[in-house]
Amino acid sequence: MFISRPGNLEKGFRNYLEYIKSVFNREDIKILEIGSFLGDSSELFKIYFPNSYLFCVDPWLNGYDEEDDITSENFPLEAAEIYFDIRMKKYKNVFKIKMCSDDFFNFFSIYNIMTSSEYKVFDVIYIDGNHRYEQVKKDISNSIRLIKGGGILSGHDYNLHLNRLRGVVKAVNEFFIPDMVFDDTTWIKHF
């Protein structure tokens, strides 16, 4: 098993997953993860919810977020994608979607227009993709349209102390004040 979140980051994320488990009390939930990188959070989702359907959206493209996330500029994301693929191979019901979140959400918008319906399919949405203020805002807005009633919208990097993540905090706060923030800076909002 690969786990790459160091110390408190992994512990905080595990506390978040324990909380989700207590809310749903079942393992067959549908999870959308925006931003999967190496698959550490993806793998933890599958460990805690082995019967879940996990949709992992990530372009694995260098430079997509160079202002606010040094990883996209300094880490070879083609290598991260290979690592993700190897890591996820052993889990069932993991759907790798190699595209930016805007393109993914556009697919659902087209579906809604064609069917004249609201397609609310996900129990949990976790946003940890592009950290720019405008993009986090779009990801939250688009996610709200896809989260089921009783679902949990969440994300990473709600960090009041790092200037480079101020866009995440600002975007989240423009929609709502999080119901909880875990030690790894994961925020949640109940719907």
Side-chain angles (χ1 to χ4, degrees):
M1 167 175 28
F2 302 100
I3 302 294
S4 60
R5 287 181 182 244
N8 283 342
L9 289 179
E10 183 180 332
K11 182 180 178 205
F13 194 75
R14 285 180 181 272
N15 289 340
Y16 158 75
L17 293 171
E18 288 290 341
Y19 179 78
I20 290 173
K21 232 177 169 166
S22 73
V23 169
F24 290 102
N25 199 26
R26 64 185 214 280
E27 293 182 354
D28 63 340
I29 63 175
K30 291 180 181 72
I31 304 165
L32 170 60
E33 178 182 51
I34 300 170
S36 298
F37 188 47
L38 295 168
D40 54 339
S41 54
S42 312
E43 183 167 39
L44 287 168
F45 274 124
K46 288 307 290 183
I47 289 168
Y48 277 77
F49 300 96
N51 296 320
S52 66
Y53 291 85
L54 176 62
F55 297 81
C56 300
V57 177
D58 197 307
W60 285 279
L61 179 65
N62 281 98
Y64 72 95
D65 190 11
E66 69 277 351
E67 290 175 20
D68 299 317
D69 186 359
I70 57 173
T71 302
S72 76
E73 190 60 31
N74 298 322
F75 194 92
L77 290 181
E78 55 280 345
E81 181 181 9
I82 292 167
Y83 191 72
F84 173 89
D85 291 343
I86 292 168
R87 197 174 203 170
M88 292 296 104
K89 189 180 279 189
K90 65 183 164 229
Y91 298 104
K92 65 179 184 169
N93 298 323
V94 175
F95 304 94
K96 175 185 168 188
I97 304 166
K98 186 176 178 175
M99 63 177 62
C100 68
S101 59
D102 288 345
D103 293 337
F104 175 79
F105 286 121
N106 282 338
F107 165 78
F108 278 97
S109 293
I110 291 167
Y111 175 85
N112 287 341
I113 290 167
M114 291 174 62
T115 61
S116 299
S117 67
E118 287 284 320
Y119 196 58
K120 295 186 180 273
V121 66
F122 296 105
D123 298 294
V124 173
I125 298 178
Y126 183 72
I127 301 170
D128 191 17
N130 187 313
H131 293 74
R132 292 183 188 146
Y133 162 75
E134 297 84 12
Q135 189 60 50
V136 176
K137 235 178 123 166
K138 281 200 277 185
D139 286 342
I140 292 170
S141 178
N142 286 321
S143 294
I144 288 170
R145 294 197 318 253
L146 298 182
I147 195 84
K148 289 180 182 178
I152 294 176
L153 178 57
S154 54
H156 193 233
D157 295 315
Y158 189 87
N159 190 325
L160 301 171
H161 306 293
L162 283 179
N163 280 337
R164 67 180 175 81
L165 297 174
R166 68 190 173 283
V168 173
V169 175
K170 182 180 177 188
V172 171
N173 287 348
E174 285 184 13
F175 283 92
F176 39 69
I177 300 300
D179 294 329
M180 299 174 76
V181 178
F182 293 85
D183 288 343
D184 71 328
T185 69
T186 292
W187 57 269
I188 66 165
K189 183 66 180 173
H190 292 267
F191 276 81

